[in-house]
């Protein structure tokens, strides 16, 4: 079921990107962590999407037309995720911050479950996880760092630029 929903979402997001309705997307969350470290269980698929506000309704409608039960949710002023589309087993976070847009722009094409998918790079995925800051996010950061695929100089630059706690300080290892 999850694989089917992933494929449906990828088809829709790719078509919308190719048609100019969205400016890009990248896989984040548990599946993205599994692209850079040992696989872990996840109950959903998370994407980060760069889309103009004028195209949000078109994005939701396209997901619904593809058979996904999509709904746009807007958070309050202090909500860490101000704009989210929920669609069955998918969470599609609308990029509203510079580091999120950069994560999409700097994504890497990776074979995930037999599909070539743009995935947030390990460094940007760590930034996204540290900004989220939940216990699962911190464990994910540890897994990504342990895989030794991280450009430590780039990560140090990004943590300084975006004001997140240096993962070396937070996790007891040096960047």
């Amino acid at each position: 079921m999850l694989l089917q929903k992933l494929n449906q979402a990828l088809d829709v997001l790719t078509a919308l990107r190719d048609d100019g309705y969205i400016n890009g997307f990248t896989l984040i969350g548990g599946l993205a962590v599994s692209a850079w470290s040992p696989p872990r269980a996840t109950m959903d698929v998370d994407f980060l999407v760069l889309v103009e506000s004028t195209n949000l309704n078109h994005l939701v409608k396209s997901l619904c037309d593809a058979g996904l039960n999509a709904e746009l949710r807007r958070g309050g002023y202090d909500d860490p995720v101000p704009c989210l589309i929920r669609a069955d087993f998918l969470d599609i976070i609308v990029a509203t911050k510079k580091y999120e847009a950069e994560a999409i722009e700097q994504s890497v094409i990776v074979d995930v479950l037999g599909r070539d998918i743009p995935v947030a790079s390990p460094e940007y995925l760590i930034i996204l996880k540290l900004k989220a800051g939940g216990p699962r996010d911190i464990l994910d950061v540890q897994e990504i760092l342990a895989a030794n695929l991280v450009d430590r100089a780039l990560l140090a630059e990004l943590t300084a630029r975006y004001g997140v706690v240096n993962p070396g300080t937070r996790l007891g290892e040096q960047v």
Side-chain angles (χ1 to χ4, degrees), residues 70-93:
E71 153 186 36
L72 177 63
R73 297 181 180 186
R74 295 187 186 269
Y77 290 111
D78 59 351
D79 194 320
V81 181
C83 192
L84 170 73
I85 299 169
R86 281 255 158 96
D88 297 330
F89 296 98
L90 304 168
D91 282 339
I92 300 172
I93 299 168

Side-chain angles (χ1 to χ4, degrees), residues 53-127:
S53 60
T54 55
N55 289 328
L56 278 172
N57 288 332
H58 185 77
L59 172 56
V60 172
K61 182 179 181 323
S62 296
L63 291 164
C64 288
D65 290 348
L68 297 163
N69 185 22
E71 153 186 36
L72 177 63
R73 297 181 180 186
R74 295 187 186 269
Y77 290 111
D78 59 351
D79 194 320
V81 181
C83 192
L84 170 73
I85 299 169
R86 281 255 158 96
D88 297 330
F89 296 98
L90 304 168
D91 282 339
I92 300 172
I93 299 168
V94 176
T96 59
K97 297 169 182 70
K98 183 174 168 93
Y99 66 89
E100 294 170 333
E102 282 183 17
I104 294 167
E105 292 162 4
Q106 300 299 319
S107 63
V108 179
I109 302 299
V110 176
D111 181 319
V112 177
L113 301 172
R115 295 266 320 241
D116 287 340
I117 302 175
V119 178
S121 72
E123 299 82 14
Y124 277 96
L125 191 54
I126 288 172
I127 296 300

Side-chain angles (χ1 to χ4, degrees), residues 3-14:
L3 182 58
Q4 176 189 2
K5 299 300 180 184
L6 170 66
N7 284 320
Q8 287 175 293
L10 284 170
D11 292 343
V12 170
L13 293 173
T14 299

